[in-house]
Amino acid sequence: MSDLTADAVATEHPGASPVGGNPAAPGGGRTVAAAVPRSLVDRLATGVTATAEPSVVETVAPLTGERLAGLPQSTPADVEVAFQLARRAQTAWAALPVRRRAAVLLRFHDLLLKRQDEALDLVQAETGKARLHAFEEVLAVATAARHYGRAAQGYLKDRRRGGALPVLTHTVEARRPKGVIGHISPWNYPLELCVGDLLPAFVAGNAVVNKPDTQTALTGLWARELLIEAGLPADLWQVVIGDGPVIGPAVVEHADYVSFTGSTRTGREVAQRAAARLVGASLELGGKNAMLVLADADLDAAAAGAVRACFSSAGQLCISIERLLVHRSVADRFLERFVARTRALRLGGGLAYGADMGSLVSARQLETTTRHVEEAVKAGATVLTGGRARPDLGPYFYEPTVLDGVTPEMAVCGEETFGPVVSVYRFDTEEEAVAAANSTPYGLNSSVWTRDLRRGRAVAARLRTGTVNVNEAYAAAYGSVAAPMGGMGDSGLGRRHGAEGILRFTEAQTIATQRMMPIAPSFGLDDKQFAAVLTGGLRALRALRFK
Ligand code: NAD
């Protein structure tokens, strides 16, 4: 599919001299040790449910490789205790009017905006991402807090429904909290995917036992403190920390509902465990997201949008773009712009604004990224820019990388890299572009660029992804918190945001009150007469277009 002929685009190869590579952002800000002092770690660690003499697990700051925190590890027995405490707290919380619970979210919104620098320091220290990308998390969480703080009463209120017998049956659909939610979250967006996803669960009247990824647990623990300051009863949010394959299943074992964000592989396992217990689960999983640049797209805007979409959080964003599908007639001009912008991105790790891209989170992410690029190059792909690690900046830095000439047998073509690597493909017809976009088992996010908005939305409707952005790549749909967000196919089950994002944390309960006569032969009618009367009634309701 791809046959780069763009003379305009100079190519670089891995291992080439760093000259011409992405510049380092000017240093600045405080050191990780100053921003996350021992006293802060010790205070936050008291929020973990763990026995008196827990074993301690160490984390490192990806930006520098220095020791970040020692955190107590929970055991499966601690998970049981966490559920007991949460269950006890949930009863009183659920008895409060929704209005009172929603007020906690709105106070949390204000506190978060006021104290955002503390959150940004922690997110950067734990993930290594650039401060601007950490701010995207603050933005997303504040938006969710405002939305559910304002809209929860509407989502959760009792609703009159048509009764079995018009007038005679009074029927109400009510929403009850599930109870205690088991929430398992990954490391890539530790604020958003931890507290952001929990806000609708709390306002719906639930308690939560949360297992964050150990690497990013401090951020969630900090958010918990802030939510308690905003009025959340302390026991309502329990945090357990530990090895995923041990503590994760223990959480699923006790939960009344499971909310999981992570890889498709782990998601399948979580779903099986939840299914065996007959509890529901929402699964927000991986993706291999495509961006389509149609022939009439604004190429400058598309190139700028692609840079944001491919390299935000160094590509460790579930809705980031890893496949660029470009109409052949504009491919060279688009690539010229896109590659130039990518080369200009400043890499850096200061705890201050200024860098355009930060570090990968771990040796594992660096290994996958390096392997995908090296294998592709060995099999004939071309590196248009990037393609190498940058140990001069920090242990896990990797340059934003654009690949061309990628073919289906290369892992980078179909597997999620979850790093700053994007492959370019060309297409001739819309049909071909839609088929290519839909060609992976995933279905999380996609993007269409065109000056013809009607056409953009028509193409969007043909893409099998839970969100599609027209003339944006991910932020428009993700930021529309009143509308659902989630994956089709291997990208998951269920949705966050909007009505689905809160109703998943509730059970529907129908309360029907029968008045004056039973739904059975009465008033001296025998069975046959009763059946005849009801048959007439059914015909009348159909004729009256009764719903
Ligand atoms: P992961 O599946 O390895 O881990 C996610 C969480 O599950 C962690 O807390 C981990 O400790 C825990 N876990 C590990 N094994 C478990 C088990 N057997 N049972 C229960 N829990 C277990 O994923 P990751 O590498 O941390 O995260 C990256 C992945 O998450 C990517 O695939 C990315 O696309 C996906 N993701 C999806 C979304 C979305 O909204 N769709 C958002 C962010 C990340």
Side-chain angles (χ1 to χ4, degrees):
M1 198 173 174
S2 91
D3 60 352
L4 182 78
T5 51
D7 293 332
V9 178
T11 57
E12 292 179 355
H13 293 281
S17 132
V19 177
N22 292 92
R30 289 132 305 122
T31 61
V32 168
V36 187
R38 179 76 190 262
S39 55
L40 174 63
V41 173
D42 289 347
R43 192 189 79 215
L44 292 175
T46 61
V48 180
T49 307
T51 40
E53 282 298 328
S55 59
V56 171
V57 58
E58 304 260 318
T59 64
V60 298
L63 290 172
T64 57
E66 71 200 277
R67 179 184 181 277
L68 179 61
L71 292 166
Q73 277 197 289
S74 313
T75 61
D78 294 327
V79 175
E80 208 172 326
V81 171
F83 271 90
Q84 282 163 6
L85 293 169
R87 244 174 242 300
R88 218 171 292 154
Q90 190 262 337
T91 313
W93 176 248
L96 293 177
V98 178
R99 174 177 48 78
R100 294 264 307 274
R101 302 197 298 254
V104 174
L105 268 58
L106 295 173
R107 281 196 294 273
F108 173 74
H109 168 275
D110 298 345
L111 282 172
L112 176 64
L113 292 186
K114 194 163 141 200
R115 291 178 41 194
Q116 59 178 282
D117 280 336
E118 295 171 41
L120 297 179
D121 283 349
L122 280 167
V123 171
Q124 280 202 280
E126 292 197 309
T127 65
K129 65 176 72 178
R131 201 163 187 87
L132 180 65
H133 301 148
F135 178 73
E136 287 183 1
E137 299 202 46
V138 170
L139 189 63
V141 172
T143 306
R146 189 197 63 232
H147 176 67
Y148 286 114
R150 292 264 178 250
Q153 274 188 280
Y155 286 133
L156 298 171
K157 72 178 181 200
D158 290 356
R159 288 192 153 71
R160 276 293 297 276
R161 299 295 186 204
L165 295 179
V167 185
L168 303 180
T169 319
H170 172 277
T171 302
V172 170
E173 177 188 324
R175 291 280 158 181
R176 308 288 175 226
K178 288 272 186 187
V180 184
I181 309 298
H183 182 69
I184 301 175
S185 47
W187 46 263
N188 64 327
Y189 277 68
L191 191 67
E192 161 62 353
L193 299 177
C194 185
V195 69
D197 276 353
L198 295 186
L199 296 172
F202 286 131
V203 78
N206 298 283
V208 171
V209 174
N210 166 221
K211 194 212 88 62
D213 192 286
T214 307
Q215 172 62 31
T216 52
L218 291 175
T219 302
L221 288 163
W222 178 85
R224 177 178 175 271
E225 276 195 357
L226 205 68
L227 204 48
I228 291 169
E229 197 175 322
L232 191 84
D235 277 351
L236 211 65
W237 179 352
Q238 300 288 322
V239 178
V240 289
I241 290 181
D243 199 19
V246 178
I247 297 304
V251 169
V252 178
E253 200 48 46
H254 296 282
D256 300 320
Y257 180 82
V258 180
S259 141
F260 173 83
T261 303
S263 63
T264 297
R265 185 180 47 78
T266 312
R268 281 189 208 284
E269 211 180 307
V270 168
Q272 280 168 9
R273 287 181 193 279
R277 295 194 51 237
L278 290 182
V279 299
S282 49
L283 307 164
E284 305 285 350
L285 310 177
K288 191 73 185 177
N289 310 304
M291 170 169 152
L292 282 60
V293 182
L294 306 190
D296 68 341
D298 174 337
L299 298 182
D300 284 312
V307 167
R308 290 194 300 276
C310 300
F311 306 122
S312 184
S313 289
Q316 300 163 118
L317 165 66
C318 56
I319 46 181
S320 73
I321 297 297
E322 295 198 0
R323 297 183 296 146
L324 277 172
L325 313 181
V326 190
H327 193 273
R328 194 176 300 278
S329 65
V330 294
D332 290 356
R333 281 183 292 141
F334 170 79
L335 280 176
E336 191 181 345
R337 289 163 172 76
F338 176 59
V339 171
R341 282 176 183 273
T342 303
R343 279 205 185 118
L345 291 177
R346 294 159 306 167
L347 308 192
L351 298 190
Y353 287 105
D356 300 311
M357 198 183 98
S359 167
L360 290 165
V361 74
S362 62
R364 190 181 81 163
Q365 292 309 118
L366 180 63
E367 189 277 319
T368 311
T369 304
T370 308
R371 179 168 50 79
H372 276 192
V373 173
E374 285 182 356
E375 279 178 12
V377 169
K378 209 177 274 177
T382 310
V383 178
L384 299 186
T385 186
R388 66 193 155 193
R390 288 292 293 268
D392 53 317
L393 300 173
Y396 310 132
F397 276 85
Y398 196 92
E399 287 186 344
T401 299
V402 184
L403 292 179
D404 199 5
V406 168
T407 49
E409 69 280 4
M410 300 175 189
V412 75
C413 185
E415 287 176 26
E416 185 184 44
T417 305
F418 222 52
V421 179
V422 64
S423 309
V424 180
Y425 307 89
R426 290 160 187 72
F427 65 85
D428 292 303
T429 64
E430 198 173 289
E431 211 57 42
E432 203 187 316
V434 168
N438 289 340
S439 66
T440 81
Y442 292 115
L444 192 56
N445 179 45
S446 55
S447 164
V448 183
W449 293 74
T450 169
R451 285 195 166 86
D452 180 346
L453 301 187
R454 186 190 293 250
R455 182 176 174 214
R457 285 192 283 266
V459 172
R462 300 177 65 197
L463 298 177
R464 294 280 304 157
T465 56
T467 52
V468 191
N469 294 265
V470 178
N471 292 341
E472 233 295 326
Y474 66 93
Y478 196 92
S480 301
V481 292
M485 180 270 153
M488 299 183 187
D490 283 4
S491 290
L493 279 179
R495 297 288 185 268
R496 63 162 62 85
H497 294 170
E500 280 144 296
I502 184 166
L503 296 183
R504 65 183 163 147
F505 296 121
T506 66
E507 296 279 5
Q509 183 183 51
T510 300
I511 300 181
T513 311
Q514 190 62 22
R515 298 182 284 206
M516 290 189 281
M517 61 172 279
I519 307 173
S522 51
F523 297 119
L525 297 176
D526 63 23
D527 291 359
K528 193 171 175 195
Q529 289 164 329
F530 172 75
V533 168
L534 255 68
T535 300
L538 288 171
R539 289 199 176 111
L541 291 175
R542 164 91 167 87
L544 292 169
R545 297 171 180 270
F546 202 84
K547 288 185 189 151

